[in-house]
Amino acid sequence: MRNVTSETITKAFLDYCSDDTDPRLMFIIERLANHLHDFVRETNLTHEEWQKGLELLMAAGNISTPERNEFILFSDVLGLSSLVDMVNSAENGTPSSVLGPFHILGAPDVPVGADLKGGNEGTTVVVGGRVTTSQGAPIEGAELEIWQTADNGLYSNQDEAQPEYNLRAHMTTAADGRYLFSTVRPAPYTVPDDGPVGELLNSTGRHPWRPSHLHFIVTAPGHRSLVTEVFPSDDPYLDEDPVFGVREQLVMDYQKREDPSDLPDDLEAKAELKSPFYVVDFDFVLADASTS
Ligand code: BEZ
Ligand code: FE
C-alpha cells in the first residue's frame, strides 16, 4: 500500500504479514497493532512524548543485568504482570500472584516443621496449613518453594550480610497435605526505584512500597502449579501495592500467641519459641491440571 494514512496504517501493517503466520501469533500481533495504533490516534502522541517513551525503554535496557530486569519491573508496575496472572488464574484454586525477581533455584530441602529463622533477627512466626485439591482432599508430596525478606526488607540475594539461601526453603507435604515452618515476619520493601521505573512511579505520584509477604510456588503432579504470595491483613501498604499483587483470598492474619504447647510436635523450634510469637494458618488449593 502506498497511500498509507493514519486510518489505513493498521490494515497496511496486517496486510504485510504472511498468511501462513502461526494463527495465535497473528491474533496477538493483530490485537497489539490495533491497540497501539489506537493509543497513538487517541492521545495524538507528539514526537517529544514518543521520544520520552523510547528513552525510558532505552534506560530500561541499560540498567538491566542478569540479576535485574527492568522490563519485568515495568510490566509489574503497569499492572501487566498481574493482569496476565489474573486471566490465567485457575477459578477453583488459590489465586496466583506475581513471582517477582528474587526467587532463586536450589533452596535447601527441609522437612515439615523446619525452622528457617535460625539466627535471623525479628518477630517469630509459625506458618502452616495444608495443600489440598479443589475438593478439599489433602495432597501428599506437594512441593513448596518458600522465599521471603529478612527483617530488614531485603532478600538474601540483595544483601551480602545474609547467607545465599537465608529464609528460603523447599518442603514436601506429608500424607495429610500439611506444611509447617517457623520463620521471621517479613518486612515491607520498595521495588527497585533507582531506574526508569522509579522515574515513572515518581512522575505519577506513586510510591514504591510493597506490602510484606511470603512467596510460595506450590506444585503437585496432576495439578496446576501455583505461584503466589500471602499478605498480612495489618500491612499499611495492603491497598496500594505498586505491582497489584494483593487478592482478598491471599490475605492472612498474624495471630498473636503466648503458649506454644498446642503447636504440632514436629515444629523443630517448638521448645525454643519465645513468647509472644505469631501463627499464620494458610491453606493452598491446587486446581486440577485439566481445569482452566
Ligand atoms: C517481589 O515480590 O519480590 C517483587 C515483585 C514485583 C516487583 C518487585 C519485587
Ligand atoms: Fe517479594
Side-chain angles (χ1 to χ4, degrees):
M1 187 184 283
R2 285 190 185 188
N3 193 20
V4 180
T5 68
S6 65
E7 292 311 317
T8 60
I9 190 168
T10 311
K11 182 173 181 317
F13 169 83
L14 296 171
D15 285 349
Y16 290 172
C17 300
S18 160
D19 284 347
D20 58 10
T21 305
D22 173 81
R24 175 68 182 167
L25 175 63
M26 200 55 238
F27 175 64
I28 291 170
I29 296 284
E30 189 263 322
R31 295 320 302 151
L32 184 67
N34 267 283
H35 287 292
L36 288 177
H37 291 183
D38 277 348
F39 165 73
V40 176
R41 287 184 284 253
E42 272 171 33
T43 56
N44 261 321
L45 203 66
T46 65
H47 283 293
E48 292 71 24
E49 288 161 347
W50 184 225
Q51 181 61 28
K52 180 69 197 161
L54 293 174
E55 280 165 13
L56 273 186
L57 291 177
M58 185 77 175
N62 288 340
I63 206 168
S64 291
T65 63
E67 290 77 40
R68 172 176 184 168
N69 187 326
E70 196 79 357
F71 293 98
I72 296 180
L73 203 53
F74 262 123
S75 159
D76 294 340
V77 303
L78 288 171
L80 294 176
S81 306
S82 281
L83 202 45
V84 173
D85 273 342
M86 289 173 208
V87 299
N88 287 287
S89 210
E91 272 169 25
N92 53 0
T94 299
S96 60
S97 184
V98 288
L99 172 68
F102 301 117
H103 175 248
I104 52 175
L105 296 172
D109 282 320
V110 298
V112 173
D115 178 49
L116 312 190
K117 182 168 189 269
N120 283 276
E121 295 288 318
T123 307
T124 304
V125 292
V126 176
V127 185
R130 290 193 320 150
V131 180
T132 74
T133 66
S134 42
Q135 289 77 37
I139 302 179
E140 177 178 6
E143 298 185 48
L144 292 97
E145 285 275 329
I146 304 156
W147 71 106
Q148 63 166 97
T149 68
D151 193 42
N152 62 1
L154 295 173
Y155 288 91
S156 62
N157 48 350
Q158 295 178 290
D159 182 2
E160 283 180 1
Q162 295 182 43
E164 186 179 7
Y165 289 109
N166 193 38
L167 300 170
R168 297 173 184 272
H170 172 265
M171 187 177 290
T172 304
T173 57
D176 53 7
R178 221 163 45 86
Y179 74 93
L180 179 71
F181 57 96
S182 48
T183 185
V184 288
R185 181 175 173 149
Y189 62 87
T190 60
V191 299
D193 63 346
D194 55 343
V197 164
E199 198 184 326
L200 176 73
L201 293 176
N202 235 328
S203 55
T204 51
R206 291 173 60 186
H207 69 69
W209 285 93
R210 290 216 68 201
S212 66
H213 50 269
L214 296 158
H215 284 278
F216 294 90
I217 299 176
V218 190
T219 53
H223 294 84
R224 288 187 55 172
S225 299
L226 174 68
V227 177
T228 197
E229 319 168 84
V230 177
F231 304 87
S233 55
D234 61 354
D235 194 287
Y237 300 109
L238 201 61
D239 292 310
E240 40 196 86
D241 181 9
V243 303
F244 310 95
V246 182
R247 319 270 175 273
E248 191 64 48
Q249 299 104 297
L250 299 178
V251 177
M252 48 71 172
D253 292 316
Y254 282 112
Q255 305 156 34
K256 191 171 181 182
R257 299 274 176 86
E258 307 280 340
D259 176 14
S261 63
D262 61 345
L263 291 174
D265 287 334
D266 57 358
L267 184 70
E268 211 174 278
K270 181 169 174 175
E272 297 98 62
L273 282 183
K274 297 213 172 50
S275 292
F277 57 92
Y278 293 78
V279 170
V280 172
D281 260 320
F282 195 88
D283 291 342
F284 295 98
V285 179
L286 296 189
D288 202 83
S290 60
T291 55
S292 59

